[in-house]
Amino acid sequence: MTETILEPDLPIIDPHHHLWDLRPMMPMFPEPRHPFIETLVGAPYYTFDELLADTQSGHNVVGTVFMECGAFYDAARSEAMKPVGEVEYVNGVAAQGASGLYGDYRPCAGIVGHADMTLGDGAREVLEALVAAGSSGSGGRFKGIRHQGAWDADPDVLGPPFHAPEGLYGSDAFRMGFVNLREMQLSFDAWVLEPQIGDVIDLAKAFPDQPICLDHCGTPLNIASYKGKLEENFDRWATSIRTLAECDNVSVKLGGLAMVNCMMPDEGPAKGYGSEELAAMWRPYIETCIEAFGTKRGMFESNYPVDRWGATYPVLWNAFKRITADYSDDEKAALYAGNAARFYSVEHILP
């Protein structure tokens, strides 16, 4: 699907994308595959060249923030330290972009890695290694961590490899590690499923000074036992979002709705939906989030290549722009770049 780019001059910082190479892991994904696994297999590799092609396909993407995805771990390190390899790899991609060979574009200007918070006091050593791995001549690129907490009683919602322990964010061990983030001035990205948003509310209230970002609008579900229940569960989702927004330390990522868990659209991948159709599907969720969090605590995200399930990169951003067509220039500047720049401390890449 190709479309004329809407508002092509509007600066964008894409605050949520991944980089990976799953080709060596293909034998680990035997058929029949869970739809989420099938989506990942549909994008078996996504490295600098693919990111560059997408982010430079018409919209004015001035920079990005990488989000951990368990890729390029260092096999030579201990289990706790393996995620340092991912940050080392991504820091190299960031250095490639910062070379100036690609103009003013700054990919991976911010890096969000992973550390196991259930290590408690032991998480500190891992966090220090991640900070060191994300260092650069112009300052640190490592900004924070994501320790995903997605869980559901229905194992078919995520597929076995992706389930976190139930109630992870409320466990004593997790919170012992979590306290290190504020002390080290690091952010936290929370990925949970819609019925779990209360877990993030409890975490945010327990640590009111810790910057937290809820990924993917809280991941409304339209898969497995939740199939066809988006409308039925909308009010529950919206109530949770409004309650979470009362926590001033929480921001929200506006996107992720095209991934297979949300099934908006419910046919994919690459079925050719246009931005008008996608905007109509996503508008109730995006607008509810913006109404709750305001235009200073929301940031549009691509969640690429996962959201390739429902939209090409240019069409995805066109859909967002249709939703915000009547917003002021200042509101758009905040939602598309300014809020992400502030949350991840990458203001230096703004034009």
Side-chain angles (χ1 to χ4, degrees), residues 32 147 155 160 167 211 231 255 287 310:
H147 189 153
E231 184 175 351
E287 289 188 339

Side-chain angles (χ1 to χ4, degrees), residues 141-162:
R141 294 191 180 103
F142 184 76
K143 305 300 180 182
I145 72 132
R146 179 173 73 166
H147 189 153
Q148 70 96 351
W151 175 90
D152 194 82
D154 180 355
D156 292 331
V157 170
L158 284 164
F162 298 98

